[in-house]
Amino acid sequence: ELKVEQNPLFLSMQEGKNYTIYCNYSTTSDRLYWYRQDPGKSLESLFVLLSNGAVKQEGRLMASLDTKARLSTLHITAAVHDLSATYFCAVSNDMRFGAGTRLTVKP
Amino acid sequence: DAGVIQSPRHEVTEMGQEVTLRCKPISGHDYLFWYRQTMMRGLELLIYFNNNVPIDDSGMPEDRFSAKMPNASFSTLKIQPSEPRDSAVYFCASSPPGELFFGEGSRLTVL
């Protein structure tokens, strides 16, 4: 069965700092997705990564995919409070999600 | 398009009662997914359909849960009888395939 692991599960960071969230998966997949969920809300699509080496950037977030290593990263640059949310990755084989990374950005 | 529409948004029921959750996917999307989200278990895939046909229901917790998709614009998730441990937020999502588009969720509380 496909396993999707994210780390860290909880991340507290200061505004202005950089950090990376990791998503590992256990079987071959050619697509990976990142989603954001605010407390009490639904999930919102952030990035769709379609091939090995794909890199997507939106504002302070940048996502990349290494299909050979079965690894995707979500890099946060100069964090701001508005980025506080839970971030999920999902693998395309059957759209199973990781446990999520709960990010808190403190002033 | 209005997006994925789920109903009810909130449901409070008593143990043993039947619960039916409904979902209208985005028109033209071939895939429909049902997820359950709890603090303890995270976001679990329950079942998904392709062109109205169930493809993988291995995530359905037990026989008390059933899901149907009678046509391309409607799906139901039924729990009978409901139990307190079924309390969760149930999300429906559709996709073209690929990227998922989520509904707002149905928050179920079983007393």
Side-chain angles (χ1 to χ4, degrees), chain A residues 14-76:
Chain A
Q14 293 281 330
E15 278 191 333
K17 299 293 187 182
N18 304 335
Y19 208 84
T20 300
I21 299 170
Y22 298 89
C23 175
N24 291 88
Y25 51 97
S26 60
T27 62
T28 302
S29 176
D30 59 352
R31 297 184 181 194
L32 189 133
Y33 305 85
W34 284 96
Y35 291 84
R36 168 181 171 145
Q37 185 179 36
D38 291 300
K41 303 292 186 182
S42 185
L43 282 82
E44 158 188 10
S45 178
L46 289 175
F47 298 110
V48 178
L49 301 170
L50 298 177
S51 61
N52 186 42
V55 177
K56 294 275 186 78
Q57 182 162 5
E58 180 73 33
R60 301 174 188 274
L61 300 177
M62 183 173 72
S64 65
L65 177 61
D66 181 343
T67 58
K68 294 179 182 177
R70 298 177 186 170
L71 171 69
S72 180
T73 61
L74 181 65
H75 186 73
I76 303 155

Side-chain angles (χ1 to χ4, degrees), chain A residues 83-103:
Chain A
L83 290 180
S84 296
T86 301
Y87 294 85
F88 293 92
C89 63
V91 178
S92 68
N93 295 32
D94 56 7
M95 298 309 284
R96 291 187 190 271
F97 282 73
T101 297
R102 183 176 293 181
L103 171 65

Side-chain angles (χ1 to χ4, degrees), chain B:
Chain B
D1 201 316
V4 176
I5 300 172
Q6 291 187 246
S7 65
R9 292 292 310 278
H10 301 274
E11 173 103 2
V12 180
T13 191
E14 293 190 345
M15 183 173 62
Q17 297 298 305
E18 178 178 293
V19 174
T20 299
L21 307 178
R22 298 173 177 80
C23 176
K24 176 178 167 53
I26 293 172
S27 176
H29 282 190
D30 293 334
Y31 287 81
L32 184 140
F33 298 76
W34 282 101
Y35 291 89
R36 177 173 69 176
Q37 187 175 40
T38 61
M39 288 293 292
M40 291 297 294
R41 302 177 69 93
L43 196 61
E44 302 173 274
L45 175 64
L46 300 178
I47 185 171
Y48 76 92
F49 297 83
N50 179 21
N51 292 321
N52 313 337
V53 176
I55 302 301
D56 184 353
D57 65 354
S58 61
M60 295 287 263
E62 48 198 275
D63 291 347
R64 297 184 297 107
F65 286 70
S66 62
K68 294 183 179 179
M69 192 165 186
N71 57 62
S73 57
F74 184 65
S75 178
T76 59
L77 178 67
K78 187 173 292 188
I79 308 171
Q80 167 63 20
S82 59
E83 297 182 3
R85 60 193 168 119
D86 301 331
S87 297
V89 180
Y90 291 81
F91 286 104
C92 174
S94 68
S95 72
E99 181 182 6
L100 291 177
F101 295 80
F102 282 82
E104 293 298 310
S106 294
R107 181 176 294 275
L108 173 65
T109 302
V110 183
L111 302 174

